[in-house]
Amino acid sequence: MHKCGSLLVATLLLVASLTACESSNTTSTNTTSPGGNSTPASNSGTGQSRLDIVKQRGKLICGVDGKIPGFSFVNESGEYSGLDVDVCKAVAAAVLGDPNAVEFRNLDSTERFEALKAGEVDMLSRNTTWTISRDSSVGLEFAPTTFYDGQGMMVRQDSGITKLEDFQGKAVCVEAGTTTELNLTDAMRQRGIQFETVTFQQADPAYAAYAEGRCQGMTSDKSQLVARRSTLPNPNEHLLLDVTMSKEPLGPLTVNNDSTWFDVVKWTTFALFEAEELGVKQDNVDQLKTSDNPNIKRFLGTEGDLGKGMGLSNDFAANAIKAVGNYGEVYERNLGEGSQFKLPRGQNALWTNGGLMYSPPFR
Amino acid sequence: MTTNGDQKIPLWRDDRFWRIALQILVIVIVVSVFALLGGNLTRNLRQTGNNFGFDFLKTSAGFNILDSLIPYTPTDPYSRVLFAGLLNSLRVMFFGIILTTLLGIAVGVARFSDNWLLRQLSLIYVEIVRNTPLLLQLVFWYGIFVQFPLIKESLNIFNSIYLSKQGIFLPWPSGIQGIIGLGILVICAIAAFIVSKRRTKVMVERGESGQPQLITLGIIGIIALLTLTVGLNWQRPMFNPTTNTIEGGLRLTIEFTTLLVSLVVYTAAYIAEIVRAGIQSVPKGQWEAARSLGLKSGLVMQLVVFPQALRVIIPPLNSQYLNLAKNSSLAVAVAYADVYNVANTTFNQTGRAIEVMLIIMATYLTINLFISLGMNQLNRSVQLRER
């Protein structure tokens, strides 16, 4: 028995030392990941950038919501469309030269960050509000805002509710894990209103409960409310209150500590704004490559080495624009006059038109 | 001699060696798997710049919850909102286990009823409920309860029960008097239990009539009835047209009701089957022997068959209670603020996935171990004691 015990201890020591070696070694040995096609290999511990992984895989995996018309929505034939989707396509075109080399993953608000951090998706483009805590303590990196939104409140037309004060003793449906939930609580606390929050982990049952009348109000980003209203049984019976409870800058994001990949997503997004400012469009991008304007030439990669510095081809911006058009075109198609929502540009106009869309110089 | 003989056996043919070696192999595998997972976890946490820790529990939660048994405001820390969620979970589990036992036993016994309709109804109930997923049933019940009218036109039963989308409002004892009344009721129940046990004992062992005990039981019953009707200071819910709310009484939100009803209906179907199996496990001779003594079939069940069936019933019943406790986490589907729901939101606001998951796992583990402990005690008390 004694012998057996010492044998056991010896084995344990051996195992402990082996595993200790193992965990210190993996960082240096495991740099070559198999160039599999669709396996989302995590870059944890390899020091490899997401950019290399995406290039090896030949496909971008993009996390979207998938249920918000105008931003990301799957139709009956399984095709994705919307502003968020176009950003994914632009990145795929910039990196791989093919806007269709994207695999979309539908993620709800409670699983999105973990999916991104675990390397299940390469980037998120799904109505995510840029906040300091997400940027710092949650460990995310926010690319430029593609849609400036604000939180609103939807009520039934016949409910007689016209302002937040009318919610005394009433119930509001909200999706959990969103900044919306916190903003709503803050806004009501400021006004000293006693109300109820009915918190759903997913958007679908939340809107369903609102539609059934469990809640007198439904709160979310205004753009989402407008989009979702179109899917309710009688869209005309619902209206948005004239309140804005918060600012909600929505944009794509990547995981922390991978600045190579972050730069790619960031500058592809900026390229959409810059293209609109320079007048580069989906249908004139090829002929503008021979333009005399040095700004346009640099932007489209016929002059200089702007793409190489990021590990992309020099014409990455041209590829992105050719795939989805500039920001103005993307907006018009998905949310503006070309869509069912007819949302005015407002603060989402270019800075030159009094809006907030601004790209740092491409030089 | 013997030492010589031992040396001749090669190591790989020595039974004792393999017994130890295999155990060591298992330990090595388990330890290395955990070391690998742990190493991977710490590495990933370091890489995303997250430090493991529970400090976030002290920061203000900032979100509101629907149901809370303790006073809670959004300025309270995460620890308090998690505690409120835990109490909500315990509330569902506690009432769920009591109600599901009553319904389950009733349906299980009804499978043996002499009444054809009752037998068929319980069969249909068990088969429908057991063969559809719980999540579907949750959504189904929520769909039903959410069809209740709005609060201003709420369904009013005898001016004391209101049904509305905002919840179900019931009369409820109020004030100090209500608490004292509830205490008296509990004492009455315990006293009645002791007296009736004693009555059976004197009737069986001494062949007495049990008349004095019956009178005592009657007196206890009258006290309990008096307390129930006037002693509890019942408070009726009242509709207040100015604020458009219902005040007073007990409010069960439809989220709580949905969760409780679906858990009870779902688990009771399984318990009914367990009860049926238990009753069928009692040899037929026991029935016949009891009948031949002149007992009616209700009494046969109550005095002879059911106590013996309990020995078979209790272990699987324990599993059903554990399932009910765990299934209560499906509350997220119907927006009931149980501990899982609240923890989910907490993890989303703070990004502390691992810490929050550990808290949830520890919570359910603790609750279930306590349920098992209680059921094992009960199991021991009904087992055959051989001398």
Side-chain angles (χ1 to χ4, degrees):
Chain A
M1 201 54 228
H2 178 74
K3 226 178 197 172
C4 164
S6 55
L7 189 62
L8 193 85
V9 171
T11 330
L12 280 180
L13 281 175
L14 186 70
V15 170
S17 58
L18 269 178
T19 48
C21 283
E22 194 278 329
S23 49
S24 59
N25 277 346
T26 37
T27 34
S28 55
T29 53
N30 194 18
T31 40
T32 48
S33 96
N37 273 338
S38 61
T39 42
S42 165
N43 68 336
S44 316
T46 59
Q48 191 186 21
S49 170
R50 227 357 74 192
L51 178 61
D52 304 323
I53 297 174
V54 172
K55 278 181 175 170
Q56 272 171 25
R57 195 197 292 130
K59 197 160 64 177
L60 174 79
I61 302 181
C62 201
V64 296
D65 181 287
K67 287 170 188 167
I68 311 173
F71 287 87
S72 56
F73 195 73
V74 208
N75 66 9
E76 290 90 350
S77 50
E79 286 156 358
Y80 281 81
S81 65
L83 180 90
D84 288 343
V85 166
D86 282 347
V87 172
C88 297
K89 286 184 175 168
V91 173
V95 177
L96 305 163
D98 178 9
N100 295 318
V102 193
E103 186 180 319
F104 293 101
R105 293 269 167 88
N106 286 8
L107 298 171
D108 69 30
S109 63
T110 60
E111 64 196 5
R112 53 186 169 178
F113 298 145
E114 288 315 302
L116 180 63
K117 286 203 275 184
E120 289 289 323
V121 296
D122 302 317
M123 59 179 285
L124 282 182
S125 180
R126 98 165 270 306
N127 293 70
T128 306
T129 306
W130 185 355
T131 68
I132 182 169
S133 58
R134 285 171 178 176
D135 209 337
S136 53
S137 55
V138 182
L140 307 169
E141 209 69 85
F142 282 82
T145 300
T146 52
F147 191 85
Y148 289 94
D149 208 341
Q151 184 176 345
M153 177 75 80
M154 179 162 64
V155 296
R156 246 178 219 78
Q157 212 149 26
D158 57 7
S159 65
I161 296 173
T162 53
K163 53 188 188 301
L164 288 185
E165 280 75 5
D166 296 337
F167 271 100
Q168 186 72 38
K170 297 206 161 58
V172 179
C173 284
V174 66
E175 193 184 348
T178 56
T179 46
T180 350
E181 196 184 356
L182 301 180
N183 296 329
L184 171 73
T185 317
D186 282 353
M188 295 297 202
R189 237 166 68 197
Q190 261 172 21
R191 296 166 171 81
I193 306 164
Q194 290 295 319
F195 77 113
E196 272 179 15
T197 13
V198 186
T199 314
F200 288 87
Q201 294 288 333
Q202 278 167 344
D204 281 341
Y207 281 94
Y210 165 75
E212 292 285 358
R214 169 66 183 93
C215 309
Q216 285 70 44
M218 173 78 214
T219 186
S220 187
D221 296 347
K222 283 183 173 175
S223 59
Q224 201 186 116
L225 289 177
V226 170
R228 281 279 188 164
R229 182 172 61 179
S230 66
T231 62
L232 288 178
N234 292 309
N236 297 330
E237 288 177 6
H238 306 273
L239 55 87
L240 264 66
L241 293 185
D242 189 22
V243 282
T244 305
M245 281 178 261
S246 66
K247 41 188 182 185
E248 307 277 340
L250 312 176
L253 54 151
T254 66
V255 79
N256 233 356
N257 292 346
D258 188 350
S259 55
T260 316
W261 175 237
F262 175 56
D263 282 346
V264 169
V265 175
K266 178 168 65 179
W267 283 98
T268 308
T269 316
F270 275 140
L272 300 179
F273 308 157
E274 182 77 0
E276 188 181 6
E277 197 178 331
L278 292 173
V280 180
K281 289 183 182 153
Q282 196 166 13
D283 50 12
N284 67 8
V285 55
D286 279 328
Q287 66 205 60
L288 279 177
K289 277 182 178 168
T290 53
S291 156
D292 296 331
N293 186 337
N295 277 330
I296 294 181
K297 283 171 109 169
R298 252 196 316 274
F299 179 69
L300 295 178
T302 43
E303 193 179 291
D305 263 340
L306 291 181
K308 287 252 162 62
M310 290 196 296
L312 299 178
S313 64
N314 278 331
D315 60 349
F316 77 97
N319 287 338
I321 306 307
K322 219 187 296 179
V324 299
N326 65 36
Y327 181 75
E329 292 176 278
V330 170
Y331 189 97
E332 288 313 306
R333 182 170 63 235
N334 294 310
L335 300 164
E337 289 305 317
S339 73
Q340 51 173 325
F341 307 113
K342 316 239 179 305
L343 279 182
R345 280 290 284 270
Q347 52 198 359
N348 290 303
L350 280 187
W351 66 290
T352 46
N353 296 335
L356 294 167
M357 290 299 165
Y358 181 95
S359 164
F362 272 70
R363 64 164 56 245
Chain B
M1 273 298 275
T2 44
T3 48
N4 257 348
D6 268 354
Q7 276 162 355
K8 270 178 194 160
I9 300 176
L11 194 61
W12 59 88
R13 302 200 50 186
D14 190 339
D15 187 37
R16 285 165 301 175
F17 166 76
W18 281 114
R19 239 181 281 155
I20 298 167
L22 281 178
Q23 303 232 16
I24 291 174
L25 189 72
V26 169
I27 293 177
V28 169
I29 292 172
V30 169
V31 170
S32 21
V33 164
F34 274 93
L36 255 174
L37 292 177
N40 187 41
L41 177 68
T42 42
R43 207 161 48 235
N44 284 351
L45 282 178
R46 205 169 45 225
Q47 207 174 32
T48 49
N50 283 351
N51 292 318
F52 186 84
F54 289 92
D55 288 345
F56 70 94
L57 285 177
K58 292 187 205 118
T59 46
S60 170
F63 62 91
N64 207 353
I65 57 172
L66 182 55
D67 259 328
S68 178
L69 293 173
I70 50 169
Y72 167 78
T73 56
T75 39
D76 287 328
Y78 282 116
S79 52
R80 189 164 179 90
V81 76
L82 284 169
F83 184 62
L86 174 65
L87 290 181
N88 281 340
S89 282
L90 289 174
R91 176 158 73 139
V92 165
M93 291 175 198
F94 180 75
F95 290 108
I97 284 178
I98 292 177
L99 295 175
T100 204
T101 311
L102 296 178
L103 182 63
I105 291 178
V107 175
V109 171
R111 291 293 296 270
F112 295 94
S113 166
D114 297 334
N115 184 325
W116 180 85
L117 186 64
L118 202 59
R119 269 199 325 267
Q120 298 309 312
L121 277 181
S122 51
L123 174 75
I124 292 169
Y125 159 71
V126 166
E127 291 312 323
I128 288 181
V129 169
R130 276 205 317 164
N131 293 307
T132 47
L134 176 56
L135 188 60
L136 184 83
Q137 293 182 27
L138 264 167
V139 176
F140 168 78
W141 285 111
Y142 194 71
I144 287 184
F145 288 124
V146 90
Q147 296 303 330
F148 280 161
L150 290 170
I151 196 149
K152 51 185 170 222
E153 50 222 32
S154 45
L155 227 60
N156 180 346
I157 304 167
F158 302 127
N159 249 342
S160 45
I161 298 173
Y162 288 85
L163 305 179
S164 79
K165 281 189 205 297
Q166 300 280 301
I168 296 166
F169 295 82
L170 305 168
W172 194 245
S174 66
I176 300 282
Q177 202 189 335
I179 296 171
I180 295 171
L182 283 177
I184 294 173
L185 277 184
V186 171
I187 294 169
C188 283
I190 295 171
F193 181 72
I194 294 171
V195 172
S196 64
K197 271 220 137 178
R198 171 142 187 84
R199 176 163 180 261
T200 330
K201 205 177 163 193
V202 294
M203 281 165 75
V204 172
E205 288 182 6
R206 289 188 231 152
E208 289 172 12
S209 66
Q211 199 79 27
Q213 283 82 12
L214 198 63
I215 294 167
T216 325
L217 273 179
I219 295 170
I220 293 174
I222 291 167
I223 296 176
L225 214 62
L226 277 176
T227 325
L228 257 179
T229 45
V230 293
L232 281 177
N233 194 14
W234 288 100
Q235 190 187 32
R236 278 185 187 177
M238 294 286 280
F239 181 66
N240 186 339
T242 51
T243 56
N244 231 338
T245 50
I246 294 175
E247 286 156 3
L250 176 73
R251 178 191 169 197
L252 305 174
T253 55
I254 64 164
E255 284 77 20
F256 173 78
T257 317
T258 302
L259 187 62
L260 187 65
V261 167
S262 7
L263 283 177
V264 166
V265 168
Y266 182 78
T267 320
Y270 287 89
I271 292 182
E273 286 296 275
I274 290 169
V275 168
R276 183 168 75 101
I279 290 172
Q280 279 177 340
S281 77
V282 177
K284 216 178 163 203
Q286 296 287 323
W287 289 86
E288 291 163 350
R291 283 225 183 84
S292 71
L293 288 175
L295 289 176
K296 289 185 198 129
S297 71
L299 278 177
V300 173
M301 182 68 90
Q302 190 193 328
L303 295 176
V304 178
V305 176
F306 200 72
Q308 296 187 69
L310 271 181
R311 292 205 299 273
V312 180
I313 289 174
I314 285 179
L317 193 63
N318 184 11
S319 306
Q320 288 309 319
Y321 288 166
L322 301 184
N323 276 343
L324 185 139
K326 286 180 286 182
N327 285 341
S328 71
S329 64
L330 282 172
V332 286
V334 290
Y336 180 65
D338 78 326
V339 67
Y340 185 71
N341 196 349
V342 169
N344 233 341
T345 306
T346 304
F347 131 63
N348 248 290
Q349 312 283 20
T350 58
R352 299 288 186 162
I354 293 156
E355 291 89 336
V356 171
M357 290 308 151
L358 280 178
I359 292 177
I360 299 178
M361 279 163 69
T363 309
Y364 282 100
L365 189 65
T366 315
I367 293 173
N368 277 350
L369 285 179
F370 270 107
I371 295 177
S372 287
L373 194 72
M375 290 302 285
N376 285 340
Q377 290 293 337
L378 187 62
N379 191 29
R380 222 161 286 146
S381 70
V382 298
Q383 288 309 309
L384 270 185
R385 252 153 294 189
E386 293 177 27
R387 266 164 250 181

